[in-house]
Amino acid sequence: PWILLVSIQPEDYPYDYEQLSENERLVIRFSHVVGEDTPKGMAARKFAELVKERSNGYIEVQVFSNGNLYKDGEEMNALSRGDIQLIAPAISKLTEYVPEISIFDLPYAFHSLDEVHEFVETKAGQTLVERLKAHNLYAISLWDSGFKQMSNRIRPIHHYDDIKRLTMRIMPSDILEKQFSSLGAFPKKYDFNAVYNELQKGSVDGQENTLTNITSKNIYSLQDYLTISNHGYLGYFVLFNLDFWNSLDEDVKQLLTETFQEVQEWEWKLTNQLNKETLQKIENCGCIELHYLSQEDMLEWEKRFEPLYNYYKQNYGDEFINALPKYQT
Ligand code: LMR
């Protein structure tokens, strides 16, 4: 099963982990789909390092990146089977389980990452997190990737009407689908690890993602136009299999919880820094035509997306929408 060992109790640390065989340690397998040089990739490794150090090697977090172990569509099943214990999927990918969590996908729901963090702490935000438990998922942390930008190979996107008739890759989420179809575009769902190939084959004209995802998978080399629209949040709930979590000793839970708190702070700062550096890199490469939406443009786009908010409210009520920081006075 999940814990490959348990002859040694946490209160027995410190132990010299080098002297322990793999099945005498607590092994936690953490699978994710992005590159190592992204906020999620780096935070996963940082977490593994700190946990190893603090448990003196008793807890070993094995990180599998780039979808090498399990891809998008597979990691959730692998988690519920107990083949892995930890994943950090984009929140959009959780809408299949808790549809109302798609509030995070509403365009311009948040105007800064601080607003996202604030929302998650509200009663409404915590209700959403709690609802994951019915699916045997325990969300221990929130990691950012940042705000999504839009790229495509057909034409520059300055106005939302420029998106019309473009075929755009999306993550599986009802709201993301509507975000594009309501503009007259054609959304298509593909796994993250398929995006590069699908763009290359021409099955889609464009896509939306954060800058670090766009560069780390070299997506921008296949695209001619990039609009800095900051229209949607992309972040992750770091999820344990709840049964696995419940099976852990209290000391281990405490160590993991505290380390996640620290890594979350670190990850949030890192995301800001990497997004700035990546934008600089894209500006300098001169390899893609960049366009920045102005504040006024963004307000106009936000207004254009109001029907999506109504759709969300009709389906899930006012409770979550009303708690968005932008509606607080
Ligand atoms: C995507 O599918 O575009 C993202 O969710 C990838 C990721 O995990 O950041």
Side-chain angles (χ1 to χ4, degrees):
W2 289 315
I3 314 190
L4 291 178
L5 108 24
V6 211
S7 56
I8 295 166
Q9 293 304 313
E11 52 269 28
D12 294 332
Y13 350 123
Y15 257 86
D16 180 356
Y17 63 89
E18 312 238 73
Q19 293 175 12
L20 300 179
S21 69
E22 175 151 318
N23 61 0
E24 287 175 304
R25 299 186 213 130
L26 173 59
V27 175
I28 296 175
R29 308 219 297 167
F30 185 173
S31 176
H32 69 79
V33 299
V34 297
E36 297 271 349
D37 52 349
T38 59
K40 178 161 65 176
M42 290 172 74
R45 273 186 290 136
K46 173 95 175 170
F47 175 71
E49 243 165 61
L50 289 175
V51 164
K52 178 175 175 180
E53 198 177 288
R54 287 169 188 180
S55 68
N56 213 4
Y58 169 69
I59 308 171
E60 183 188 3
V61 179
Q62 299 177 348
V63 180
F64 302 88
S65 60
N66 284 303
N68 284 337
L69 188 60
Y70 294 109
K71 302 201 189 330
D72 262 348
E74 304 165 346
E75 61 178 27
M76 190 60 88
N77 288 339
L79 186 80
S80 58
R81 282 198 307 270
D83 292 347
I84 50 179
Q85 290 71 37
L86 204 50
I87 60 176
I91 296 174
S92 314
K93 294 170 188 168
L94 299 170
T95 59
E96 184 187 331
Y97 305 91
V98 179
E100 55 275 33
I101 221 162
S102 59
I103 189 158
F104 288 94
D105 290 331
L106 283 170
Y108 298 105
F110 306 98
H111 297 142
S112 68
L113 295 176
D114 285 345
E115 283 193 3
V116 179
H117 307 155
E118 200 185 305
F119 173 72
V120 172
E121 290 306 318
T122 62
K123 186 162 163 279
Q126 288 300 302
T127 302
L128 293 172
V129 169
E130 277 297 305
R131 288 191 185 169
L132 290 165
K133 287 196 174 146
H135 302 273
N136 202 27
L137 300 168
Y138 171 54
I140 194 163
S141 216
L142 171 79
W143 288 354
D144 295 328
S145 179
F147 284 96
K148 289 175 290 182
Q149 322 297 352
M150 279 187 208
S151 71
N152 85 100
R153 65 189 170 98
I154 305 288
R155 67 178 86 93
I157 297 174
H158 292 188
H159 189 269
Y160 46 74
D161 281 340
D162 298 327
I163 300 170
K164 229 179 241 174
R165 290 186 300 279
L166 295 179
T167 313
M168 300 291 280
R169 179 267 171 173
I170 54 163
M171 296 182 276
S173 154
D174 190 21
I175 292 288
L176 296 183
E177 209 166 327
K178 291 210 154 35
Q179 169 190 269
F180 283 116
S181 61
S182 69
L183 297 178
F186 307 107
K188 275 194 180 178
K189 296 173 196 163
Y190 285 110
D191 280 3
F192 181 60
N193 300 89
V195 179
Y196 185 89
N197 278 340
E198 297 303 332
L199 283 170
Q200 198 168 39
K201 281 196 293 188
S203 350
V204 283
D205 302 318
Q207 59 88 49
E208 53 165 13
N209 221 314
T210 55
L211 294 177
T212 51
N213 276 343
I214 289 173
T215 55
S216 75
K217 289 289 175 201
N218 217 6
I219 288 171
Y220 67 144
S221 70
L222 299 173
Q223 302 274 270
D224 298 312
Y225 308 100
L226 177 64
T227 297
I228 304 300
S229 49
N230 289 314
H231 62 282
Y233 173 69
L234 200 164
Y236 315 102
F237 281 126
V238 185
L239 303 171
F240 272 108
N241 174 308
L242 180 61
D243 290 337
F244 170 77
W245 175 257
N246 287 336
S247 76
L248 295 173
D249 184 279
E250 288 308 316
D251 289 12
V252 170
K253 282 185 185 162
Q254 191 182 342
L255 188 152
L256 295 173
T257 302
E258 286 171 5
T259 307
F260 265 123
Q261 277 161 359
E262 192 181 318
V263 171
Q264 178 176 280
E265 287 288 315
W266 181 86
E267 201 271 352
W268 289 356
K269 288 198 190 101
L270 175 75
T271 297
N272 277 323
Q273 183 197 327
L274 286 184
N275 278 328
K276 276 191 204 127
E277 284 173 16
T278 308
L279 184 56
Q280 195 66 55
K281 176 175 158 185
I282 295 175
E283 277 176 353
N284 293 344
C285 81
C287 51
I288 190 162
E289 190 181 305
L290 257 179
H291 177 73
Y292 290 84
L293 291 190
S294 66
Q295 287 302 325
E296 296 82 60
D297 293 338
M298 286 192 246
L299 281 174
E300 209 182 303
W301 285 50
E302 185 170 345
K303 220 170 149 26
R304 176 66 182 80
F305 286 119
E306 266 168 19
L308 265 71
Y309 285 67
N310 295 334
Y311 169 85
Y312 181 93
K313 279 190 210 166
Q314 273 157 18
N315 284 284
Y316 313 115
D318 291 348
E319 177 191 357
F320 303 113
I321 294 256
N322 287 346
L324 287 174
K326 68 174 178 174
Y327 297 132
Q328 312 311 307
T329 43

